[in-house]
């Protein structure tokens, strides 16, 4: 992952390193279609690999379209989780493993995947999932040591999660809000123009 870090000498690493449940906030120079101005939730992180989902990029697709039994339900948008396994649907939620069997804890009140059939029944029984479940096509993955190298290279800032904001996150405004929570030190990132050539 390459970036144009030619004028970014006033920002230093915040000394936080990733763990399961961390947020990764991309630096403003990244031009990658998946990761430009993105915030990623890490659902798995260990010495061998990392896995996460981009939280703030909608695809324009809806879960309802792919499951006939859900067509009359409230529209459920799908987000672009990352460049790996883009033909597979994933989800994160705050429903817990008592409501959704086989759900994997991420941290706090957040869970990853679980029995999708049970989730569909939950929705069809008129339970609202707004602000409780978020769907993704694909995921973001890193091999051994790759993510740490990108963090050391200032491609990402690491932050702690907020369950409510993670499930409601959308658009570039969430990227800016996530940086703002990290303090004045990151104002340079927030104010840097998306396209410096147009400035």
């Amino acid at each position: 992952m390459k970036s144009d870090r030619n004028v970014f000498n006033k920002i230093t690493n915040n000394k936080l390193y990733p763990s399961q449940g961390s947020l990764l906030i991309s630096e403003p120079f990244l031009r990658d279609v998946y990761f430009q101005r993105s915030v990623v939730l890490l659902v798995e992180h260990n010495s061998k690999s990392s896995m996460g989902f981009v939280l703030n990029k909608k695809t324009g697709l809806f879960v309802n379209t792919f499951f006939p039994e859900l067509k009359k339900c409230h529209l459920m948008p799908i987000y672009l989780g990352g460049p790996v396994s883009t033909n597979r649907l994933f989800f994160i939620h705050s429903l817990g493993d008592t409501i959704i069997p086989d759900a994997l804890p991420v941290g706090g009140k957040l869970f990853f995947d679980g029995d999708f059939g049970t989730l569909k029944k939950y929705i069809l029984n008129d339970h609202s999932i707004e602000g409780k479940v978020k769907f993704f096509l694909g995921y973001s993955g890193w091999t051994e040591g790759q993510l740490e190298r990108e963090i050391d290279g200032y491609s990402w800032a690491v932050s702690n999660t907020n369950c409510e904001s993670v499930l409601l996150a959308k658009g570039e405004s969430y990227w800016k809000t996530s940086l703002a929570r990290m303090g004045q030190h990151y104002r340079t990132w927030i104010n840097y123009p998306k396209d410096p050539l147009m400035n």
Side-chain angles (χ1 to χ4, degrees):
M1 190 177 303
K2 297 181 179 179
S3 61
D4 307 320
R5 290 196 52 85
N6 54 354
V7 295
F8 228 12
N9 53 13
K10 292 186 178 179
I11 297 294
T12 56
N13 195 301
N14 63 0
K15 305 301 182 185
L16 290 178
Y17 280 86
S19 60
Q20 182 175 289
S22 294
L23 291 181
L24 304 176
I25 307 171
S26 69
E27 63 148 327
F29 292 138
L30 287 179
R31 295 290 179 260
D32 184 277
V33 64
Y34 290 96
F35 299 120
Q36 185 180 37
R37 304 214 168 193
S38 67
V39 182
V40 177
L41 171 69
L42 284 181
V43 297
E44 293 180 3
H45 179 75
N46 55 52
S47 61
K48 298 296 184 183
S49 63
S50 304
M51 176 183 184
F53 298 103
V54 177
L55 295 168
N56 58 324
K57 294 183 183 273
K58 279 187 180 180
T59 63
L61 301 173
F62 297 90
V63 175
N64 315 61
T65 305
F66 301 98
F67 299 94
E69 64 271 37
L70 299 177
K71 282 189 175 179
K72 294 183 179 180
C73 297
H74 183 76
L75 287 177
M76 295 169 277
I78 300 174
Y79 287 74
L80 192 64
V84 186
S85 295
T86 54
N87 61 341
R88 183 182 165 189
L89 186 70
F90 301 88
F91 61 100
I92 59 172
H93 57 93
S94 61
L95 298 175
D97 53 4
T98 55
I99 295 178
I100 309 296
D102 302 321
L104 302 173
V106 173
K109 297 179 180 178
L110 288 174
F111 291 79
F112 162 49
D113 269 5
D115 185 77
F116 186 67
T118 300
L119 177 59
K120 285 196 293 183
K121 290 178 183 176
Y122 183 84
I123 295 167
L124 290 168
N125 284 330
D126 293 326
H127 293 288
S128 172
I129 63 166
E130 188 172 1
K132 300 176 183 176
V133 183
K134 194 166 198 169
F135 299 94
F136 305 90
L137 280 178
Y139 70 91
S140 304
W142 293 265
T143 57
E144 182 177 358
Q146 181 184 4
L147 180 56
E148 285 79 3
R149 289 192 296 272
E150 291 182 7
I151 291 168
D152 286 339
Y154 303 97
S155 290
W156 303 98
V158 181
S159 178
N160 295 321
T161 61
N162 176 289
C163 178
E164 183 177 352
S165 70
V166 161
L167 293 169
L168 295 174
K170 57 184 178 181
E172 188 176 322
S173 61
Y174 183 68
W175 176 79
K176 292 182 177 180
T177 300
S178 298
L179 283 173
R181 289 195 186 105
M182 296 181 68
Q184 293 292 322
H185 192 58
Y186 284 86
R187 188 166 294 279
T188 303
W189 286 30
I190 296 172
N191 293 334
Y192 193 81
K194 192 168 188 178
D195 186 352
L197 297 178
M198 298 295 290
N199 196 30

